[in-house]
């Protein structure tokens, strides 16, 4: 089952979020994860959906709003998608992506954008199966503050 995350979920969600960050080679920091997620939910900065199995949170997706000037519509940036390794291959990722698509439809958005690493074999198979297409007409650049 998937549903929108609530403040009451932050403790369990923070553990998943910490696993997600560790997967991306960041140091574990559950107190900072709790603070970050609480702020996102309280400030309505993002939309977070959770996958639940027998009362336990097993995955989440987090989307941030963007806007397209040329389309004059909102886009959603699917920034984070994670399912605990013990629950992978059971359809939770697809359920979370479907919840994301419903959000896009219900907010009259132009669509959903996402980025994933070229080495993310699972994601690079999952996203096309869920209807996403590689958009290779532009170059993606980043400027970092070090």
């Amino acid at each position: 089952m998937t549903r929108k995350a609530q403040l009451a979920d932050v403790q369990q969600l923070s553990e998943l979020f910490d696993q997600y960050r560790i997967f991306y080679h960041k140091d574990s920091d559950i107190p900072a994860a709790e603070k970050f997620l609480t702020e996102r939910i309280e400030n309505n900065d993002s939309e977070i959906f959770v996958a639940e199995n027998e009362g336990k949170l097993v995955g989440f997706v987090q989307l941030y709003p963007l806007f397209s000037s040329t389309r004059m519509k909102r886009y959603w940036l699917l920034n984070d998608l994670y399912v605990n390794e013990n629950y992978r291959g059971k359809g939770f990722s697809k359920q979370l992506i479907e919840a994301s698509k419903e959000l896009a439809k219900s907010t009259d958005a132009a669509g959903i954008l996402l980025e994933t690493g070229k080495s993310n074999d699972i994601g690079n198979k999952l996203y096309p199966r869920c209807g996403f297409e590689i958009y290779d007409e532009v170059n993606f650049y980043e400027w970092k503050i070090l």
Side-chain angles (χ1 to χ4, degrees):
M1 173 181 103
T2 60
R3 60 176 175 77
K4 189 171 176 175
Q6 304 167 6
L7 280 175
D9 296 318
V10 167
Q11 184 176 356
Q12 272 193 75
L13 183 56
S14 296
E15 293 171 17
L16 282 172
F17 191 74
D18 197 59
Q19 293 168 22
Y20 167 76
R21 291 184 67 252
I22 290 168
F23 177 81
Y24 282 103
H25 312 290
K26 303 297 181 200
D27 293 334
S28 176
D29 191 341
I30 290 177
E34 286 181 7
K35 181 178 186 299
F36 181 81
L37 293 168
T38 298
E39 289 173 354
R40 298 297 70 74
I41 293 170
E42 287 180 343
N43 297 333
N44 292 314
D45 291 333
S46 67
E47 293 288 339
I48 304 172
F49 296 96
V50 293
E52 198 170 22
N53 185 53
E54 298 177 359
K56 179 180 178 172
L57 299 187
V58 298
F60 74 95
V61 63
Q62 182 166 214
L63 301 106
Y64 293 96
L66 300 172
F67 294 91
S68 169
S69 298
T70 56
R71 294 201 174 152
M72 295 187 295
K73 284 194 167 201
R74 174 191 313 260
Y75 264 99
W76 287 98
L77 173 64
L78 192 161
N79 201 69
D80 312 309
L81 174 64
Y82 182 78
V83 173
N84 176 279
E85 61 187 14
N86 297 323
Y87 294 89
R88 292 182 188 155
K90 301 180 188 310
F92 291 111
S93 292
K94 288 181 182 176
Q95 290 175 22
L96 291 164
I97 288 172
E98 286 305 311
S100 301
K101 289 179 179 179
E102 288 304 313
L103 171 69
K105 291 174 188 173
S106 71
T107 57
D108 192 33
I112 299 171
L113 302 171
L114 66 87
E115 139 189 18
T116 193
K118 292 185 185 292
S119 64
N120 182 351
D121 294 333
I122 293 171
N124 285 309
K125 290 177 185 167
L126 171 69
Y127 297 124
R129 283 199 312 260
C130 292
F132 288 80
E133 297 175 13
I134 291 178
Y135 189 78
D136 59 3
E137 296 174 17
V138 299
N139 292 329
F140 182 80
Y141 294 93
E142 178 181 18
W143 177 82
K144 294 183 191 178
I145 299 174
L146 301 177

